[in-house]
Amino acid sequence: MPELKIAVIGAGVIGFTTALELKNAFRNANIEILADKFNTETTSSAAAGVFRPGTSFCGPTEEITRKWIEDSYYYWEHLCNTSEGAKAGVKQLSGYIFSSQYPHIVKNRYIEKLVPVYRAATSEELQLCPGNWKYGSFFITLLTECDLYLPWAIEKFINAGGKITGAKVESLETLGLNYDVVVNCTGLGARYLCNDHKVVPIRGQVYKVRAPWIKTFFYGDYDTYILPGFTNVTLGGCRQYESYNLDMDEYDARSIWHRCTSLVPSLAGAEIVAQRVGLRPHRSEVRLENEVKNINGRVVRIVHNYGHGGYGVTTAPGTSLHACKLVREAWSSNSKL
Ligand SMILES: Cc1cc2nc3c(=O)[nH]c(=O)nc-3n(C[C@H](O)[C@H](O)[C@H](O)COP(=O)(O)OP(=O)(O)OC[C@H]3O[C@@H](n4cnc5c(N)ncnc54)[C@H](O)[C@@H]3O)c2cc1C
C-alpha cells in the first residue's frame, strides 16, 4: 500500500484531536498540520472547556449527535484517568446549574444518563448562592483546559512523527493536489475557505481569574458561569450572534463581573489574570462529510470537520473519530482508482 499523505488544516482543539486520532488510525501515514494560529491565538484557548453540550449542537441526526457526544465523553474520561490526564488538561469536576425561571435550563438530555451523577438540586442547595433560584441540578462532568491540552497535543503529535507548519491556506483545492486527503478543521475560517455562509460567529468574552478556593462550578440561568480549571477560574459569559468583534468590551466585562460576583460573592477578592474574547464557530449542523473535487482532471479528496459552535471542546473526540472513518473511506476509494 503506498504511503498515505494527509494534511490537517487547523490547530485548534478539533484540528489537533483529529490529527492525533489519524496518527492512531494510520500509523505509517505522513500527517501534517497547517494553521495560521496556534495555542492562545485560537478560539479553543478562550474556552473554559467544560463537557456540557447545549441544544444548539447538532449533527445530521439525533442518533449521530448522541454518538459523537458519547464517544467524546468516554475519550475524555479515559484520558483523564491515565497518568497523562492532568498534563493534557483534563479533570473531573462537579457543580450546579440554577435557574430563576425555567426548569428546562437545568436539564440536559444529552448527558443526564452519560455522566456519573446528574440529579435535581435539593431545597438547601438552591440556597447555596444568593438569588431567587427556583430550579437547579447538581452534576459531575469533565473539563479540558485547552491552554494545557494544545501544548500537550503538539508534543504528542510531534513525538509520533507528525509535522506542523505555520501557514495560511488560501485554497483547499490547490493544497489538495499535494496530498491524498485534506482534513478541514478550520472552525470559523471555513466561512471564507469554503465560502460557507452557514458558519457564523457567536462572540464570547470571559475573565480568567485566580481564585483557588473555588472548587465547584456554578451556572446561573445559563448566561452566567463560573468554571474552575487547573490554574484559573473562567468567569463568563455572553453569546453574541454574528458579532465579529475580537476586542474586549468594557460593558460585557462589567456585566460578567457583576453577575459572577452576585452568584458567588467571594469572587470579588479574586485576582484578574486575563480577559479573553473568542468567536465560536457556529453552524446549524456540524459539517462532517467527504467532498470529492475534480481539479484539471485530478481528484482532490477533502474531509470537512468544522462548525462546532460553543461545544467544540466537548465534542472534539467524537467528531474526530468520525472524521477518521471518513478519511479511511476517502483513502480506500482513492486506492481503487
Ligand atoms: C468564551 C468561550 C467559551 C467557550 N467555552 C466552551 C466550553 O466550556 N466547552 C466547549 O465544549 N466549548 C466551549 N467553547 C467553544 C470552543 O471554544 C469551540 O467550539 C472550539 O474552540 C472550536 O475549535 P476549532 O478547532 O474548530 O476552532 P479554532 O480553535 O478557532 O481553531 C481553528 C484553527 O483553524 C486555523 N485556520 C482557520 N482558517 C485557516 C486558514 N485559511 N489557513 C490556515 N489555518 C486556518 C486557525 O488558525 C486555527 O488554528 C467556548 C468558546 C468561547 C469563545
Side-chain angles (χ1 to χ4, degrees):
M1 201 179 188
E3 211 168 61
L4 173 59
K5 214 174 153 202
I6 306 172
V8 175
I9 316 170
V13 68
I14 304 301
F16 265 109
T17 311
T18 304
L20 287 178
E21 276 316 300
L22 286 168
K23 261 280 159 214
N24 264 339
F26 306 96
R27 290 196 184 265
N28 297 322
N30 279 324
I31 305 179
E32 180 173 0
I33 292 180
L34 297 104
D36 61 349
K37 288 184 181 151
F38 292 87
N39 292 314
T40 52
E41 298 167 334
T42 63
T43 308
S44 303
S45 163
V50 71
F51 186 95
R52 201 190 65 86
T55 43
S56 68
F57 179 79
C58 197
T61 65
E62 169 84 11
E63 196 188 349
I64 292 173
T65 309
R66 281 190 182 276
K67 173 139 177 63
W68 290 348
I69 292 169
E70 283 171 22
D71 286 350
S72 297
Y73 184 79
Y74 294 125
Y75 180 102
W76 290 131
E77 185 187 49
H78 173 76
L79 184 53
C80 181
N81 291 333
T82 66
S83 57
E84 297 207 65
K87 193 177 175 206
V90 190
K91 71 172 194 175
Q92 193 182 64
L93 84 170
S94 59
Y96 296 92
I97 179 161
F98 297 128
S99 174
S100 54
Q101 293 184 63
Y102 303 109
H104 72 264
I105 283 182
V106 306
K107 316 262 305 156
N108 191 312
R109 67 196 176 92
Y110 285 132
I111 64 167
E112 279 175 356
K113 293 199 170 72
L114 185 62
V115 296
V117 177
Y118 203 109
R119 61 162 174 80
T122 62
S123 51
E124 288 78 26
E125 288 171 326
L126 288 176
Q127 318 271 317
L128 276 174
C129 295
N132 183 24
W133 305 115
K134 287 199 184 113
Y135 309 99
S137 294
F138 169 87
F139 62 103
I140 298 177
T141 188
L142 298 163
L143 179 142
T144 304
E145 193 167 311
C146 281
D147 284 349
L148 296 172
Y149 176 71
L150 294 176
W152 172 84
I154 287 175
E155 193 184 316
K156 204 169 161 67
F157 182 67
I158 288 174
N159 287 344
K163 186 176 167 203
I164 300 177
T165 304
K168 185 171 171 71
V169 174
E170 303 292 348
S171 156
L172 288 175
E173 292 76 10
T174 309
L175 184 81
L177 293 172
N178 299 316
Y179 295 86
D180 295 304
V181 186
V182 171
V183 188
N184 174 18
C185 306
T186 52
L188 192 61
R191 184 177 170 89
Y192 312 102
L193 200 54
C194 308
N195 207 16
D196 183 347
H197 295 289
K198 287 186 184 164
V199 193
V200 288
I202 300 182
R203 181 182 177 277
Q205 182 168 324
V206 291
Y207 276 103
K208 303 275 177 182
V209 303
R210 205 163 323 276
W213 60 92
I214 305 288
K215 307 281 186 210
T216 306
F217 68 78
F218 293 96
Y219 281 90
D221 268 327
Y222 197 32
D223 293 327
T224 303
Y225 51 85
I226 296 161
L227 298 162
F230 280 83
T231 40
N232 299 319
V233 182
T234 303
L235 310 185
C238 58
R239 289 183 189 82
Q240 292 151 356
Y241 192 78
E242 272 198 303
S243 167
Y244 288 84
N245 179 14
L246 274 168
D247 292 334
M248 224 63 69
D249 182 278
E250 188 194 325
Y251 294 99
D252 287 335
R254 282 193 204 176
S255 163
I256 291 166
W257 190 258
H258 173 73
R259 284 183 278 122
C260 289
T261 54
S262 301
L263 190 62
V264 176
S266 70
L267 281 168
E271 179 199 342
I272 297 171
V273 178
Q275 288 193 63
R276 303 287 270 277
V277 175
L279 305 179
R280 302 171 178 97
H282 174 72
R283 196 172 187 272
S284 47
E285 185 185 308
V286 174
R287 188 171 184 204
L288 196 31
E289 64 182 5
N290 270 322
E291 188 178 16
V292 181
K293 292 205 165 185
N294 193 314
I295 309 295
N296 303 329
R298 287 178 61 191
V299 171
V300 169
R301 298 184 186 278
I302 303 166
V303 171
H304 298 284
N305 185 12
Y306 64 82
H308 298 66
Y311 308 102
V313 184
T314 299
T315 57
T319 50
S320 298
L321 287 165
H322 191 134
C324 284
K325 252 178 29 195
L326 296 181
V327 168
R328 192 174 294 283
E329 278 170 31
W331 177 236
S332 51
S333 56
N334 198 37
S335 327
K336 281 180 207 139
L337 288 175

